[in-house]
Structures are given as C-alpha cells and as structure tokens.
Amino acid sequence: MAPGRSDRHGYTVTAPVAAPAAVVWQVLADVEAMPTWTASMDAVRRLDGGPFGLGSRARVRQPGLPPATWVVDEWRPPEVFAWTSRAPGVRTTGRHEVRARGERRSEVTLSVRQDGVLAGLMWRWTGATARRYVDLEIAGLAAAAAGRAEQPDP
C-alpha cells in the first residue's frame, strides 16, 4: 500500500489487490458485510430493500464516532461507488474506486472528504480517525478480496 495523501479536508489511499476487480467489487458492494473485514466499522445496516445501488441508504456505526446515515450518490459498477453522510455544517463523502490491473490483480483507491462551512473544524476533530479508518478499510478489503479469490469456484 502506498502512503495516503492528505489535504485540508480529506484523505486518499491506493493499494494493489491480489484479486480480480470483479471479486473486489463483490466484496465492496456487500456493505452489510464490511464489519467482517474492517475494524473501522462496528455495524452497517441497510435502510431500504432491493439491490444496493444509487440512492441506497445504510446506517453505519464506527468506533468513536456517532452513527451516521450514508446515501449512495454515485454508483458505476464494477468501478466506482461513493456515498455521502450529512451533519449540520458538514458533508462527508466516502469514495471507492476499483481498477483492473490484469486478469488476477486490481487496484483500489479509497478516499474520504469533508465539505461545508464546518468542514475545517470537523476535520481537525475527526481527521486522524478518518485516516486510520481508511487505512484499515483498504487493508481489510484487499485481504478479504484476496481470500475470496483463492477459494475454488463451486
């Protein structure tokens, strides 16, 4: 994993994954299973039925942070999924990008960004935690996808 890049209100990290992009996307798009592969989430609960995609909502509980409702506002399978959570004065966006790097490998970029009138204050309060959580998520996603890719097809 390459070191992440920070700016005033955000953080981005990219890592190679020893799994095909389709497998990475399957792991990533199963949002309710995220707590099984990353310590950055205690629980993820879908708030609506049907396939997960544009407009879907999920309630996310993360250690040390208040629970938040995230809404998918960008959905381009199997490459990009972004969701946004809003609080007074700040909008937080989590973005997930998957790129194929050959038949059996891929690359993932995860980012978090805060915008709004209180974004600077909020980032000072949560930025270190957000960076740590994005690092945990990318490492967990890479391990979960690689593990799934190693399993024989049924």
Side-chain angles (χ1 to χ4, degrees):
M1 177 172 74
R5 297 180 318 272
S6 290
D7 63 26
R8 286 185 27 183
H9 304 138
Y11 180 70
T12 301
V13 66
T14 299
V17 181
V23 172
V24 176
W25 186 260
Q26 288 171 348
V27 173
L28 183 60
D30 184 5
V31 295
E32 288 184 307
M34 285 178 166
T36 67
W37 51 260
T38 180
S40 67
M41 295 188 186
D42 291 329
V44 178
R45 182 175 51 89
R46 293 274 315 275
L47 299 177
D48 38 34
F52 188 71
L54 191 63
S56 291
R57 297 175 306 123
R59 188 75 168 164
V60 177
R61 283 192 306 113
Q62 295 184 274
L65 297 175
T69 298
W70 291 80
V71 179
V72 176
D73 48 15
E74 185 176 7
W75 183 256
R76 290 188 285 128
E79 297 169 351
V80 177
F81 130 54
W83 55 2
T84 301
S85 177
R86 295 178 185 273
V90 66
R91 180 183 70 224
T92 304
T93 301
R95 186 171 172 83
H96 314 76
E97 299 176 45
V98 180
R99 288 174 297 286
R101 293 291 184 243
E103 204 172 293
R104 293 190 180 106
R105 302 194 64 77
S106 55
E107 181 178 80
V108 174
T109 299
L110 302 182
S111 63
V112 63
R113 175 145 192 87
Q114 294 183 326
D115 297 293
V117 68
L118 297 178
L121 179 63
M122 185 65 81
W123 190 251
R124 280 192 290 279
W125 178 50
T126 64
T129 299
R131 288 187 295 273
R132 187 171 73 251
Y133 284 0
V134 171
D135 288 342
L136 285 169
E137 287 173 30
I138 203 160
L141 175 60
R148 187 176 290 184
E150 291 174 0
Q151 296 174 357
D153 291 332

